[in-house]
Amino acid sequence: MANKDEVSRRQFLNYTLTGVGGFMAAGMLLPMVRFAIDPVLKQGAGQDMVAVVEENEITEEPQRFTFKVNQKDGWYESEVTQAAWVFKDKNGDIVALSPICKHLGCTVDWGTDPSHPNQFYCPCHGGRYTKDGTNVKGTPPLAPLDVYKKEVKDGKLYLGQAEPQ
Amino acid sequence: MKWCSKDLDMYLQASEYVDTAIVPLIPITWGAQKKNVILKGEFPLILSEEIERQLKGRVFLFPAMTYLASELDEDVLKRISALTSELEHEGMPFTVFITSDARWTGSEELGDRLVNIPPVPLEHMDEEYQREIVSEQVKHILQIVTKKWQNTL
Ligand code: FES
């Protein structure tokens, strides 16, 4: 009776420990596996940098690309879609500008003002910026468009925070 | 700008630049038709938020104006016109109601304040396609709104 009891207790412990160990192993392995099969979607290049577009898609004409970042708004954390105007300047350097107007925060568009086809245009109060993001004097914005931190890795453009120029 | 005190402070600093209220117009019910009615609200709410994002500096997004699906047209319209006339008095010359409820099509009281968007059931679409549909409609609404603004600046 006592014998039987001991065996079953040992068995019980064995089972439990294997079970717990299994869970722990799974807990460690799963994120690693996910990380391995999903490298593009993960933030691959340093902290908070997000893959946005293949480098060879970037032209001299500004194009709008969107990407997702986690944002904390007070206690509410959510995934928000951000946009960037991306192009290559005369020297072939990549520029990524934030589309947020420095006046009151509307979203600017490229070339939508017929009389200024080579500028960024804000639909709200007619704010304008030259291609490099400089605000045009005489329009409401008082500062140039923010510039995204950027990094090119493995042929992809990664973007981070937008910062004032 | 959104319906929160932070954005109101921003408004108070720059009220001369803000002239448009965006108001989602949303039916509600808990009766048998709820699925249908929710569908009619989901899409315009998403669109309104997106419009606010794009035109943040010139519009103020209001909480949705809701009405019971069983509420009489004239009762709803009475509340709507009370709202618009208050807004006009208080320095908001443009009000845009965004709805997917076909009930208001052609309503004289709402007139060109109404933007009627056919409801789209987004739930079964993949994300890429959802985003396309939303941005398409947003573009459409942006055109309507910015057209109202022509000659005001
Ligand atoms: S928000 Fe862009 S010009 Fe005012």
Side-chain angles (χ1 to χ4, degrees):
Chain A
M1 212 42 194
N3 227 347
K4 238 189 197 167
D5 200 10
E6 204 174 87
V7 169
S8 79
R9 185 185 295 140
R10 180 175 298 153
Q11 270 179 342
F12 171 75
L13 279 174
N14 266 339
Y15 287 146
T16 349
L17 286 179
T18 333
V20 171
F23 268 117
M24 282 165 62
M28 279 160 61
L29 278 174
L30 277 182
M32 288 163 78
V33 170
R34 215 174 64 185
F35 198 75
I37 57 173
D38 214 354
V40 188
L41 300 177
K42 285 282 148 204
Q43 301 156 354
Q47 201 193 354
D48 287 327
M49 300 291 274
V50 183
V52 174
V53 61
E54 303 279 334
E55 195 192 358
N56 58 21
E57 282 184 51
I58 301 171
T59 57
E60 285 198 6
E61 182 79 2
Q63 296 178 80
R64 193 169 177 272
F65 296 107
T66 55
F67 56 103
K68 287 194 172 150
V69 290
N70 282 323
Q71 199 182 58
K72 254 199 185 149
D73 201 357
W75 60 85
Y76 183 71
E77 201 175 334
S78 59
E79 207 183 40
V80 296
T81 306
Q82 287 198 335
W85 286 103
V86 182
F87 62 94
K88 283 194 174 137
D89 68 12
K90 283 191 215 87
N91 311 321
D93 292 332
I94 294 173
V95 182
L97 297 173
S98 156
I100 310 288
C101 182
K102 293 300 272 187
H103 178 221
L104 291 172
C106 294
T107 305
V108 303
D109 221 333
W110 171 252
T112 38
D113 179 13
S115 35
H116 302 278
N118 286 314
Q119 292 185 349
F120 292 101
Y121 177 70
C122 178
C124 283
H125 317 100
R128 284 186 280 121
Y129 304 83
T130 54
K131 189 173 173 184
D132 62 1
T134 312
N135 49 305
V136 173
K137 282 230 172 64
T139 69
L142 296 174
L145 292 173
D146 288 355
V147 177
Y148 281 106
K149 262 204 238 156
K150 60 169 194 299
E151 188 174 306
V152 177
K153 219 180 109 188
D154 305 328
K156 280 197 189 70
L157 173 69
Y158 288 78
L159 295 182
Q161 297 282 343
E163 288 167 341
Q165 294 203 32
Chain B
M1 291 163 205
K2 295 197 192 100
W3 192 255
C4 63
S5 46
K6 191 175 104 225
D7 284 10
L8 181 69
D9 290 343
M10 184 176 166
Y11 169 79
L12 295 173
Q13 300 284 317
S15 58
E16 70 270 32
Y17 289 104
V18 183
D19 60 5
T20 304
I22 305 285
V23 188
L25 191 55
I26 309 291
I28 51 179
T29 183
W30 206 241
Q33 290 297 310
K34 49 181 158 318
K35 176 86 185 197
N36 233 326
V37 167
I38 284 177
L39 263 179
K40 285 186 198 162
E42 203 171 16
F43 198 41
L45 284 172
I46 293 174
L47 294 176
S48 305
E49 265 173 38
E50 195 50 34
I51 295 289
E52 188 277 333
R53 221 155 78 107
Q54 306 257 334
L55 301 177
K56 187 179 187 60
R58 191 162 174 177
V59 305
F60 212 105
L61 174 61
F62 275 59
M65 175 125 186
T66 57
Y67 49 90
L68 273 178
S70 60
E71 202 171 335
L72 291 177
D73 280 12
E74 55 188 82
D75 292 342
V76 182
L77 289 168
K78 210 186 275 169
R79 291 197 285 130
I80 286 174
S81 66
L83 174 63
T84 46
S85 62
E86 175 168 323
L87 285 169
E88 265 165 34
H89 274 125
E90 303 292 342
M92 208 57 115
F94 301 110
T95 307
V96 179
F97 292 97
I98 299 183
T99 193
S100 285
D101 192 348
R103 171 173 174 181
W104 307 113
T105 334
S107 140
E108 243 168 63
E109 289 89 339
L110 279 157
D112 61 2
R113 293 199 187 95
L114 181 73
V115 175
N116 198 344
I117 303 295
V120 176
L122 293 173
E123 57 177 336
H124 301 302
M125 296 174 188
D126 69 57
E127 233 192 285
E128 188 69 14
Y129 193 47
Q130 279 186 21
R131 212 177 323 150
E132 236 169 74
I133 296 220
V134 169
S135 79
E136 193 103 320
Q137 285 300 343
V138 166
K139 237 184 248 164
H140 171 68
I141 303 177
L142 283 183
Q143 270 168 11
I144 296 176
V145 176
T146 48
K147 201 153 177 202
K148 288 182 197 295
W149 292 346
Q150 270 165 24
N151 315 320
T152 56
L153 265 179

